[in-house]
Structure formats: structure tokens, C-alpha cells
Amino acid sequence: MQKAVYIILFLFFSQLALATNDDGILINSIPIHFKDAKIINKYSTRIPFKLVDRLIVIEGGIKDQKGNFIIDTGSETMLLNKVHFKTYPFERKQKSTTGVIDFVDNLFEKKINKLSLKEFTLHNRKSDIIDLSHIEKSKKIKLLGIIGFSILKDYEVFIDLYLNQITLTKIDSLGNTLSKEVYLEKIVDSIDFKLKKHTIVISGYIGNEKVKFGLDSGAEFNQIHKRVSKKVLRYFYPKKRVKLIGASKRKIEVLYGNLSRVKLSDKTYFGPMKTILTSLYNMNKAFGTHLDGILGHDFFLQKRVIINYKKEKLYFIKYPLVR
């Protein structure tokens, strides 16, 4: 086994169980604008993104602040970086929150009266305020915040790592898109999922063993719970030990390698994916789930995915060519 090395992964915010709280300060209109967003029609917009290491990052701005936002299906709320919003009023939350490595304190919360996505406008959305400076520093970007479930759930979300763009289409209460002409690409398969709080839970197989995965666009690497059965672990091929740095800067050592033989349906299967072996105990406890693993960046790298939260369904778009 190779010598341990230090890495900082975006795992902490991907698996936050944020405490709910009705308190907050309603502030004046603060529109959020995303750079180079293209309006497809009245209900749909397409936003280009860049990959920073293995994170989906879009450029945008809030008032006089310009910077970057991470798209993270694993985050419950919208998060703003305390470093860049010190002058805005906010209130301390009443509870702490649980991260993948440890507990996180000093959460703050505020309400945004108006959030604009080009022609889309959302009202009275809560945003949690937290110090994201360690992610900002490690990724070498100006990080304004993280866009999570509380924003994404009202749209059908097409994450396309082939063209490096995300398409958001407004949906009704049943999950039907308000526009009938959005995608030119062909849908080749679909699977159902269960929404556990804000976590997308997918049933699948590793080899012949049934497992449950959480889907998280903010996880830079897949994760496998170290307490899964040995029959599952025989398809995990470790390469080296790495050290993760969590929210409170506490470090844990995990195994990094490749995971093979992952299948979600007869049509939906994956080649080897970069994966870490770690404990998912805190996350399972916080969310009331029993996940065996997390599917992150490599899942989206191999599949062009549409997420429909209301219908609890994933759709897979055909790649125009074989990678």
C-alpha cells in the first residue's frame, strides 16, 4: 500500500443534515444571476459549468459580489459563504448539523426575498450561512455558495458532463415539465428512486449483492460504507490510503481505489469508478437511512442524467459517441 497523502474532498457539505428553523431575517431583494445562462424557452434555461477538480461549478453573482457556486444535489439547502457576506444580517441557527466526518456548529441562516435565475424568480428562499473558506482555499476559486436541494427540487435537472452544462426546466406539482420541448437528446433508460428527506436513494447491485446508494453531485469520489458485506468489498480494489480533512479540519484516513460491477438496471451499469472506503454512520444516523454507498462524480461522468425530484425518477440520455 502506498504512503498516505493528504487530500481535501468535497464530501462534508455533500452530506449535511441541516437543522430546520423558521427563524431568519427577511432582507431586501438580492437577485442571483448566472453567467452565460441561455434561455431555451419560458420555463427552461441552460447554464454552462466548469469542473474544478471534480466539482460542478457555475459562475454567478449576488449584488456586487461575483464568483462561483457549486451545484450539489447532496446539500439540503442553499449555502452562502460567510466570508463574502459578512455585512448581511443573519441569525444563528438553533441546532448544529452533522457532516460526513464530524459535527458542525456555528450555522447561520437568512431568508432571501428574491432569487432570480434569468427569467425565473423564486421568493422567500432560506439560505444557510457557513464558513466555506477552507473549500475556497483548497479549490483556488472565489466561492460564493452552494446550490442544493431546496432550489433544485422545483426543476427537472439535466446534468451533462459530456457538454459541461446543466439544464433546469420548471415542473408542476406532479413533476411534469411545463415545457414540452426541452431535450433534443434521446432518453435511453430510466429508474425510480426514493427521496429520503433530501437524499436521492437508489437501489442497485454490486456484483450480485443488493445495495442502496445515495446520489450526490457534490461528492468528488464515490464512497462505500466500510461495514458493507465482504461479498461487496471484493469488487473494491484499493490503491492507496488518503486523509480527508473535514469541516472542523479534523483528519481521517481512508482507503482509495476503484469500485467495479455496479449495476442499477439491466441497461444501466458502470465501468470502474474512483471510490473511497469510509464510514457512512453519521450520515445514515442523521438522515435515517441505511446507505451502503454514495454515487458521485464518476456516476455523472459515465451517465448523462436527468433528475426529477417530484416523480422520484432518473432518466438517462444517450451519449452521442463512446468515450
Side-chain angles (χ1 to χ4, degrees):
M1 198 70 64
Q2 297 184 25
K3 185 178 179 181
V5 296
Y6 286 96
I7 59 176
I8 300 179
L9 300 182
F10 187 70
L11 300 173
F12 154 57
F13 290 108
S14 305
Q15 293 154 19
L16 284 181
L18 291 169
T20 58
N21 188 343
D22 291 332
D23 295 332
I25 299 232
L26 189 63
I27 62 177
N28 293 330
S29 173
I30 302 182
I32 298 178
H33 300 287
F34 298 107
K35 185 179 178 181
D36 299 326
K38 180 181 179 181
I39 300 301
I40 301 173
N41 55 50
K42 183 179 180 181
Y43 301 106
S44 304
T45 191
R46 183 177 294 132
I47 309 169
F49 62 75
K50 58 187 176 182
L51 288 176
V52 177
D53 292 336
R54 300 164 71 84
L55 296 176
I56 297 172
V57 175
I58 60 177
E59 295 182 47
I62 300 180
K63 293 190 76 174
D64 57 338
Q65 293 279 359
K66 293 182 179 180
N68 299 279
F69 293 86
I70 293 170
I71 300 294
D72 181 13
T73 61
S75 174
E76 181 178 0
T77 68
M78 179 176 174
L79 302 172
L80 293 182
N81 190 355
K82 181 181 175 182
V83 173
H84 301 298
F85 298 96
K86 293 179 179 178
T87 60
Y88 294 147
F90 47 75
E91 289 191 1
R92 185 182 298 274
K93 297 191 79 169
Q94 300 301 312
K95 298 179 181 179
S96 63
T97 183
T98 307
V100 67
I101 295 179
D102 44 25
F103 286 87
V104 183
D105 294 309
N106 298 319
L107 273 180
F108 297 87
E109 182 181 78
K110 72 175 179 181
K111 292 181 181 178
I112 295 178
N113 185 39
K114 179 180 177 184
L115 185 154
S116 297
L117 180 65
K118 285 293 184 176
E119 294 180 359
F120 296 155
T121 302
L122 306 176
H123 295 276
N124 298 330
R125 293 300 178 113
K126 288 184 179 179
S127 176
D128 288 294
I129 309 295
I130 197 166
D131 188 350
L132 303 177
S133 60
H134 60 297
I135 296 177
E136 184 174 61
K137 183 178 179 180
S138 69
K139 300 304 178 186
K140 297 180 175 62
I141 60 173
K142 182 179 179 180
L143 181 60
L144 295 184
I146 295 164
I147 295 174
F149 169 77
S150 64
I151 303 298
L152 300 176
K153 65 182 176 63
D154 294 327
Y155 300 91
E156 193 168 78
V157 183
F158 178 17
I159 299 176
D160 187 353
L161 262 69
Y162 175 76
L163 296 176
N164 278 14
Q165 61 189 22
I166 181 169
T167 302
L168 301 178
T169 302
K170 189 70 176 177
I171 56 178
D172 62 22
S173 60
L174 298 177
N176 299 312
T177 56
L178 297 181
S179 171
K180 303 303 179 184
E181 299 178 359
V182 182
Y183 312 115
L184 297 176
E185 298 88 344
K186 181 181 179 181
I187 294 176
V188 294
D189 194 18
S190 65
I191 61 171
D192 297 325
F193 65 81
K194 296 294 184 183
L195 199 58
K196 190 70 173 180
K197 294 187 179 179
H198 69 280
T199 303
I200 295 172
V201 179
I202 307 168
S203 296
Y205 292 86
I206 298 178
N208 295 319
E209 298 298 307
K210 289 185 177 181
V211 292
K212 287 187 177 181
F213 294 107
L215 182 62
D216 186 354
S217 67
E220 293 195 70
F221 296 91
N222 290 356
Q223 299 160 62
I224 286 294
H225 191 16
K226 64 182 181 181
R227 296 191 180 278
V228 296
S229 74
K230 292 181 179 180
K231 291 181 180 180
V232 169
L233 289 179
R234 68 183 180 182
Y235 297 109
F236 174 69
Y237 302 95
K239 289 185 175 181
K240 58 187 176 184
R241 294 185 180 276
V242 298
K243 292 186 178 180
L244 303 185
I245 303 177
S248 64
K249 312 299 173 65
R250 187 166 66 88
K251 304 177 182 69
I252 61 170
E253 188 173 270
V254 299
L255 282 173
Y256 162 84
N258 286 322
L259 180 67
S260 300
R261 298 288 299 277
V262 175
K263 182 174 70 171
L264 303 183
S265 73
D266 291 338
K267 294 181 181 179
T268 308
Y269 48 87
F270 299 82
M273 294 186 284
K274 295 179 176 62
T275 303
I276 61 172
L277 182 68
T278 187
S279 173
L280 299 180
Y281 173 80
N282 278 349
M283 186 191 67
N284 282 332
K285 181 180 178 182
F287 294 165
T289 59
H290 299 282
L291 297 181
D292 301 297
I294 299 292
L295 296 175
H297 172 84
D298 278 33
F299 172 91
F300 292 97
L301 187 65
Q302 294 189 30
K303 301 294 180 184
R304 303 168 79 194
V305 183
I306 298 172
I307 302 170
N308 191 308
Y309 286 101
K310 294 285 197 307
K311 291 186 175 181
E312 298 190 350
K313 213 166 186 66
L314 299 181
Y315 302 94
F316 299 99
I317 296 290
K318 184 179 181 179
Y319 266 102
L321 50 85
V322 178
R323 288 194 165 212

